[in-house]
Amino acid sequence: MPKKAITQPTVTPFVVAYDDEQGGLEADLTIAYTPTPRLAYKVMQADDRDRAGVLWARVERASRKGKPIFAAMNPERQRECMYELLCQVCGEPAGRNRDGWLFLDWRMPQDPPTWPEGSLTHMPPLCERDARLAVEQCPHAGRFIPLRVKLPRLWGISGTRYQWTDSGWRRDSSIPWLKYGDERLNAVLASQLVRELRKVTVVDLDEVMTS
Ligand SMILES: [Zn+2]
């Protein structure tokens, strides 16, 4: 689990960032008028925008031979796992049964009182095998609540906000999660895809461990 530090992992999760993976250059950014002004790359490539039109951070997809940074996720792989509902550890299809896809989550202060129903997450799902691995290896595993989610809806993104200045785009700040449709997304470079968990069932950890 990349956001919750692993001390002695035996496996590097698929979504984890590596120190040899370089982000895109800010000099590559420009402003596009569509007609609303919005962040764009000077030379756009096929997957630079998602279906909602949000611009995504570019990452040079390195050989994954560098040093893993367990506290960070590679935006491209996080997006791929979250969009395709792939396991964040192995990159294969996440575990799914009649109650839905398997997520490991924990309650955060900003979560709605209905948690886990209606909560937001940037942590992609897992397969059953790797959910067991995460529980065995992560020091924060005691907080994990296994969830089955029938309807993990695409909700929005998190990323970095930019401001247009006389000298071009200037990085402003990281943003909390923004919902698709928010006009502020025009000036944001997305780095994580966020899903809203709907039709959630809390499942027994032992069930997952023995499934
Ligand atoms: Zn897996």
Side-chain angles (χ1 to χ4, degrees), residues 101-113:
W101 283 272
L102 177 62
F103 285 79
L104 288 178
D105 202 9
W106 53 94
R107 194 165 192 158
M108 302 288 282
Q110 68 270 23
D111 281 323

Side-chain angles (χ1 to χ4, degrees), residues 87-93 126-131:
C87 171
Q88 61 172 280
V89 177
C90 66
E92 297 295 318
L126 300 100
C127 67
E128 285 83 359
R129 180 195 63 195
D130 289 322

Side-chain angles (χ1 to χ4, degrees), residues 33-203:
Y33 295 93
T34 59
T36 307
R38 63 175 180 168
L39 196 65
Y41 288 113
K42 289 174 182 169
V43 180
M44 292 292 292
Q45 296 172 2
D47 287 332
D48 283 335
R49 290 194 192 280
D50 61 25
R51 288 185 178 184
V54 176
L55 195 70
W56 276 77
R58 285 177 177 167
V59 181
E60 194 176 312
R61 193 160 186 156
S63 59
R64 296 179 66 205
K65 289 179 179 172
K67 184 180 173 189
I69 306 168
F70 286 99
M73 288 189 274
N74 172 295
E76 194 176 272
R77 293 193 292 273
Q78 190 274 351
R79 179 184 173 191
E80 182 182 349
C81 281
M82 204 53 142
Y83 188 81
E84 304 283 350
L85 290 167
L86 305 179
C87 171
Q88 61 172 280
V89 177
C90 66
E92 297 295 318
R96 187 185 185 189
N97 67 12
R98 67 182 188 283
D99 291 324
W101 283 272
L102 177 62
F103 285 79
L104 288 178
D105 202 9
W106 53 94
R107 194 165 192 158
M108 302 288 282
Q110 68 270 23
D111 281 323
T114 56
W115 186 93
E117 187 65 32
S119 63
L120 303 177
T121 187
H122 62 160
M123 299 299 295
L126 300 100
C127 67
E128 285 83 359
R129 180 195 63 195
D130 289 322
R132 289 197 292 271
L133 190 74
V135 167
E136 287 164 8
Q137 298 199 354
C138 181
H140 299 286
R143 296 158 56 189
F144 292 163
I145 309 287
L147 306 174
R148 289 287 183 179
V149 184
K150 273 188 181 169
L151 192 56
R153 292 201 295 211
L154 285 174
W155 181 88
I157 58 93
S158 69
T160 303
R161 181 161 47 195
Y162 281 79
Q163 269 193 337
W164 182 248
T165 70
D166 291 343
S167 56
W169 287 107
R170 182 171 57 82
R171 183 188 290 248
D172 188 5
S173 61
S174 291
I175 53 158
W177 300 346
L178 280 184
K179 190 174 184 176
Y180 280 129
D182 191 309
E183 62 182 22
R184 290 173 291 177
L185 288 168
N186 285 331
V188 165
L189 195 59
S191 56
Q192 290 184 349
L193 187 59
V194 176
R195 282 187 183 267
E196 180 184 42
L197 307 185
R198 292 283 183 181
K199 299 195 174 181
V200 185
T201 308
V202 176
V203 294

